[in-house]
Amino acid sequence: MRKLPLNTPTPAHSALGVVGTGVEHDSAWLHTSGQARYIDDLPAPEGLLHAAVGHSEQAHAWILELDLSRVHASPGVVAVITAADVPGHLDIGPVFPGDPVLAQDTVEHIGQPLFAVAATSHEAARKAARKAIVKYQPLEAVITVQDALEQQLFVRPGRRQQRGDPDQAIAGACHQLKGQQHIGGQEHFYLESQACLVEPTEDGGMFVHTSSQHPSEVQKLVAEVLGLPIHCVQAEVRRMGGGFGGKETQAAPLACVAALLARVTGCPVKYRLSRSDDMVQTGKRHDFFNTYHIGFDDSGLIKGADLMVAGRCGYSPDLSDAIVDRAMFHACNAYYLDQARVVGHRCKTHTVSNTAFRGFGGPQGMMIIEQAMDDIARHLGKDPLDIRKLNLFGPGRDVSHYGQTIEQQVLPELIAQLERSSAYRQRRQEIIALNARNPVLKRGLALTPVQFGISFTAKHLNQAGALVHIYTDGSIQVNHGGTEMGQGLYIKVAQVVATAFQVDVARVKVSATRTDKVPNTSPTAASSGSDLNGMAALDACEKILGGLTAFASSHWNVPEEHVRFHANQVHIGDHCLSWEDFIQTAYMHRISLSSSGFYATPKIHYDHDAGQGRPFLYYTNSAACSEVVVDTLTGEYRVLRTDILHDAGRSLNPAIDMGQIEGGFIQGMGWLTTEELVYSAEGRLLTTGPATYKIPAVSDCPPDLRVALLKDSPNHEATVFHSKAVGEPPFMLGISVWSALRDAVSSLSDYRFSPPLDTPATPERVLNAVTETRRWVNQQENGQ
Amino acid sequence: MIEFVLNGRAEKIDQADPNQSILEWLRTKKRLTGTKEGCGSGDCGACTVITGAPDNNGQIRYEAINSCITLIGSLQGKHLLTIEAFREQPAHPVQQSLMDCHGAQCGFCTPGIVMSLIALHSESAPGDADDHKLMEALAGNLCRCTGYRPIMEAGRQALVQSWQPGSDNHPARYLARADQADGLATADDTSMTSLEARNGNQYYAPATLPQLKRLLRAHPDARLIAGGTDLVLEITQQLKTLPKLISLERVRELNGCQLEENHLVVGAATPYRQFHSQLSGLWPAFDHLLERLGSLQVRNRGTLGGNIANASPIGDMPPALIALDATLELEGPEGARELPAEQFFKGYRQTDLQPGEFIHSIHIPVPEPNQRLFIYKVSKRLDDDISAVLGAFRLTLRNGVVQDCRLAYGGMAATPARARLTEAALLGKPWNQRSVEQAITALSDDFSPLTDVRASSAYRLQVAGNLLYRALLENSDLHHLDTPLMVTDYA
């Protein structure tokens, strides 16, 4: 087949909406006019029933008795099922076992489903589910990371990555510092709570409409709980009302419950969670306890580092093995740690099983080294930005502690640009002057980088399929394994296809993701959606183009090199046909207008036992500079200005990418500031709704927000049109806000004291940092 | 039976469960699914719809409300507009700008955001809305995807454009010609309406005080509902059934706000939004507070009487009313009586209201010479959050000496309460740093606050004192006058 020059940028004067243009989201009008359908908006099929589950009120207990008579008798109830009614697999753990679809005889967290109800309305099901009488024999419950560490209670074995002899390097360095931090978890708070609609098919199978980032896993697990071959179950995802990782594994249990009820009743079943049930029953971002011990020289250059990251996994492994892995990979963030050890623990607690969330452990890992950077700076009396720049990966210092070479070093130049464009040095001086004048409000400034590895660290997930059809009128339909959760994947893939055929993007429609169109798909996660599915779609296009080109060449008798697709036309030697006429002609000559495509990420490998390898194809880089103002009377604060410079490679869609960057930054800021998950000592989540759990609202967005994409920075790897992944990396730009808050508080000590500031840095924690800083200053003054 | 207009078409509900929210009715009975449920508790705005009702001048006023916590009974005589009224071309400028600015990602919050912005657009002349108004309109609409910057940008673009819907049959035609509201109730409608379910659940909406009193006598077991922004959570969050409800919303005597001699008299059923400007005109400290009390959707429904009768220890208005020594006018079977606001709160969510009694109005004193009011709300988030601590201080200074002071707090005890020992420590003292620092030490004798999800006991005590110190800084020459002292000065 002829090699088509596809991996090159396209001239701007070609077809409309090709890659590189800021085309609007394909559902923009449907979204803004309320016509976009989510699961709960689908027309109700005949005989639809509604599901709810009754859940555990104990964090860890044996179930002595489960009396469901009052549930059965509740108005509208049609069926009630327990673990005993599961014909197939009871365990639906996504990677490792440990997640029973319904509890059998032991419960391991408050909110664990015990039984499920199908009733004639959503309300009737919810009311009935609360009526069970359960007798428990309470067992000892471990709730916090510390308790789990003390008791050495883990869901998976710990792992270690090591280079050289860090202990000796630390001991031999001029300066040593130790520190620790608690990093709070995070509720996804996708605006559309978890939902699915399951319809029995004529042959005993199920058709599942699900709001999931991983339809293939939903398909597989539904088949398994029903004891069916996978081909009996199909799953479809048109769109999600937000995912953020929270619908990677967490959507499947709902689909399994609904499918079990559908099987028992023979009726279609819808199962959607109320907000509070969603917050109680589904996993969240892992909270972490991290420590560092570092040695560095007088300039602030790190000579040795000993880092420990411990994540609260909850009661089962879920994806925690890979999540803590990523925390370990990113514990160095963008910095070269010469002699280094990183240890990661997967702590088992009797709380809901924590799960994927944008960044997938990476943010929690980065936090420890970013704290260390600030602490080194305070210790040496230097600007934290200088310490960060000094420790960046660079020539001769370009191999990470897990053995991957950082081949494309973007950050030195990117940070230099941002330092200039944000006027960091000038504002540093202005802030010192402003702080001296104001008795109450103190400003802080921080510029922090992000280096995020792109690829699933589970190698087999780095594959994707696609299916492209051209119809006889020249319109094109694309299906691929990726799911749309608002991130604009569909429009990006449509742009890839439009570019491949050199037609307007309006001719391309991406249809709902379905397991019977593209099978065995990976979750839409790890920022990989456009990298993987874009390439798979491109592969399909290249196959079709190969056939079309060969046809044109023979039909018009010109060399293949003289067949050119350009601006909705096909140029064949001296002939020029419109796209539609050409396609119609090809059809009449029985040329295939349809193909599947496939992609597997090259170059990646990793040895988990040795802790060495190349887990990532490449890295996405960015940096943010945030300025905050802190009220030293109450700990309240505002972010006044944030400048962001982000490397999206050769962006497929700059407008969509900007949306990811801004939205990711604000979400990361929320994680580190106001979003506080509060548990009782018994392990009960107390913040179960937006009244108590506060995600950023409109006035939390910095009034001055300046976001730019790094210019002229194509991906050196052969990714789709040399773009770079964009979903997760911006999340960690929120660290600049946390660091700026510490900077503002540190100003009270003339930047000599580095105040501890666990996250989320609520006003209360910020005020505590203020108090501690003042105490330190008093001690210094009294001591002198 | 209730009658109203839905997207330009007359609707009549003869028999329905009055415990139903507008959202549930729209989605399940009308199959209008453009309006979304994000939380079911009035905290996210995904369910935002617009209701229009005639004001005292007969002009239709359109407001954004949370349909998830508003019961269908409240629709009587109103025009309900949902996102379905905006499915036709030409797109409303708000919709067009949101598309142009990439203001929707997952799209789930978008219909609610569209409705909030259209409500603002409908009451703004092109160009007269600024960022402050935009943020006020959007503070109750959570978006998890965009980070809001493109939504603000879309708002700015849309609000400078005027709009006429395409045709006379356009379901949103009322918005374009707000004076022509055929089919809607008039302001002087005095007929009582009611709604009853097959299961016997009842809802009464009297229009006059005598009707209300008759109903209260006939149904001593009924719950009173005004805006319902808290009460309806019992239905949506606790899954309770409220079998008998009497709505105060339409009772004309309980609605309105006027200056009488030395008091501003606010009818108990007056939504916040309708007394906001008058109260802030008298006491400017309320301006900031009322912008941060709930969201605009909540303030369009929530009432002053509801906030008081609810008797939450973290309600925002009671501490301020106590600091001002406001008086409540109560009415009941035994007649009317007046009670200082302070004496109304008896214990955690317990009030002095007797069976059959209700709050008629609130009498708020006007400022006297040398009096100043400070109100500080402290919460995790600036927008639409509940106070961890709220301090309201009324100070009367003469020649630099504290002649009188009333220091009231929310979040510090089981009820909103005065810090009497702290007051005593300040009284007669010079208004300076030393006096305030000394007085603050008495706060721990006044209060032993709780630790809960919003804040710890220690934080509450520390902040309670610091807020008093802030009042000193604000009202003294201890700092440069041009220096901001609150982070909200930057909001």
Side-chain angles (χ1 to χ4, degrees), chain A residues 22-25 28-29 31-36 38 40-44 123 126-127 130 186-192 239-242 244 272 275-276 357 437-441 443 485-486 629-634 636-638 640 655 659-660 662-664 666-667 674-676 678 686-687 690-701 703 705 762-764 767-768 771, chain B residues 24 27 31 33-34 36-39 41 43-44 46 83-84 86-89 91 95 98-100 102 104-111 114 135 138-139 141-150 152 235-241 292 377-386 453-456 459 462-463 466-467 469-470 473 478-480 482-488 490-491:
Chain A
V23 189
E24 68 185 26
H25 196 283
W29 169 244
H31 289 156
T32 49
S33 62
Q35 298 177 87
Y38 304 82
D40 196 39
D41 305 333
L42 297 173
E123 195 191 12
R126 288 183 71 201
K127 284 185 171 172
R130 295 187 176 198
Q186 187 177 25
E187 161 64 33
H188 301 86
F189 214 90
Y190 26 67
L191 262 289
E192 179 209 25
R239 63 169 64 75
M240 285 163 269
F244 317 114
R272 71 174 172 99
R275 179 60 57 185
S276 57
F357 195 145
R437 267 168 62 85
N438 198 308
V440 174
L441 301 185
R443 295 203 189 192
M485 58 193 110
V629 59
V630 166
D631 182 339
T632 56
L633 292 176
T634 59
E636 296 165 288
Y637 48 81
R638 314 295 301 149
L640 300 178
Q660 288 297 297
E662 291 173 339
I666 296 292
Q667 204 174 65
T674 57
E675 296 185 35
E676 187 172 30
V678 183
L686 301 175
T687 46
T692 47
Y693 184 79
K694 310 310 280 190
I695 71 168
V698 65
S699 58
D700 295 312
C701 179
L705 178 59
T762 56
E764 175 162 354
L767 187 62
N768 289 343
T771 305
Chain B
E24 191 189 346
R27 290 186 60 86
R31 294 296 306 155
T33 55
K36 310 299 182 197
E37 176 178 323
C39 68
S41 58
D43 296 304
C44 81
I83 190 71
E84 281 80 8
F86 299 92
R87 282 187 173 179
E88 294 177 19
Q89 300 286 355
Q95 294 170 304
L98 275 167
M99 289 189 280
D100 294 344
H102 308 277
Q105 287 184 21
C106 85
F108 198 83
C109 70
T110 311
V114 169
M135 281 197 270
L138 290 170
N141 289 89
L142 296 179
C143 168
R144 192 54 152 167
C145 296
T146 64
Y148 304 100
R149 201 275 314 156
M152 284 291 292
I235 299 171
T236 66
Q237 300 302 301
Q238 299 168 33
L239 306 187
K240 280 189 191 167
T241 298
R292 290 182 55 198
K377 170 172 175 160
V378 178
S379 54
K380 274 183 204 165
R381 191 175 71 190
L382 184 74
D383 291 327
D384 194 3
D385 199 356
I386 293 165
V453 296
R454 295 196 172 82
S456 72
Y459 177 75
Q462 186 180 2
V463 165
N466 285 355
L467 292 183
Y469 183 68
R470 183 198 302 291
L473 284 174
L478 285 174
H479 83 290
H480 306 282
D482 60 335
T483 311
L485 286 176
M486 312 234 295
V487 293
T488 48
Y490 294 98

Side-chain angles (χ1 to χ4, degrees), chain A residues 93-172:
Chain A
V95 185
F96 305 101
D99 297 288
V101 62
L102 293 169
Q104 210 159 15
D105 41 26
T106 313
V107 286
E108 290 199 283
H109 71 97
I110 293 175
Q112 184 170 354
L114 299 173
F115 63 93
V117 182
T120 49
S121 75
H122 178 64
E123 195 191 12
R126 288 183 71 201
K127 284 185 171 172
R130 295 187 176 198
K131 292 183 179 167
I133 300 167
V134 189
K135 282 191 189 144
Y136 302 96
Q137 168 79 49
L139 301 168
E140 189 198 357
V142 173
I143 305 301
T144 66
V145 173
Q146 269 77 14
D147 290 346
L149 280 175
E150 263 171 40
Q151 299 192 20
Q152 295 282 295
L153 201 58
F154 302 118
V155 293
R156 296 282 303 155
R159 288 193 185 277
R160 163 205 290 234
Q161 298 158 336
Q162 183 160 342
R163 173 168 60 195
D165 186 345
D167 301 319
Q168 199 184 4
I170 295 167

Side-chain angles (χ1 to χ4, degrees), chain B residues 337-352:
Chain B
R337 62 174 175 134
E338 292 200 352
L339 189 70
E342 189 187 355
Q343 291 173 28
F344 182 76
F345 306 101
K346 293 297 179 192
Y348 179 71
R349 293 210 169 228
Q350 287 179 338
T351 72
D352 197 54

Side-chain angles (χ1 to χ4, degrees), chain A residues 582-601:
Chain A
F582 175 74
I583 290 300
Q584 180 67 29
T585 309
Y587 169 73
M588 293 307 291
H589 290 81
R590 300 186 295 168
I591 302 300
S592 169
L593 298 174
S594 171
S595 177
S596 64
F598 185 75
Y599 175 72
T601 309

Side-chain angles (χ1 to χ4, degrees), chain A residues 566-581:
Chain A
H566 180 68
N568 300 302
Q569 291 178 329
V570 186
H571 301 267
I572 308 149
D574 297 334
H575 304 274
C576 176
L577 277 79
S578 70
W579 169 256
E580 299 93 316
D581 289 346

Side-chain angles (χ1 to χ4, degrees), chain A residues 680-750:
Chain A
S680 73
E682 297 75 37
R684 182 179 299 279
L685 182 68
L686 301 175
T687 46
T688 59
T692 47
Y693 184 79
K694 310 310 280 190
I695 71 168
V698 65
S699 58
D700 295 312
C701 179
D704 191 353
L705 178 59
R706 309 181 191 190
V707 183
L709 298 176
L710 186 67
K711 290 199 175 75
D712 304 321
S713 182
N715 196 336
H716 289 185
E717 296 296 337
T719 53
V720 59
F721 296 101
H722 294 279
S723 60
K724 284 191 171 186
V726 74
E728 293 165 292
F731 182 88
M732 286 145 275
L733 297 171
I735 296 173
S736 64
V737 171
W738 173 77
S739 184
L741 288 170
R742 292 185 85 204
D743 186 65
V745 176
S746 182
S747 74
L748 296 168
S749 69
D750 202 17

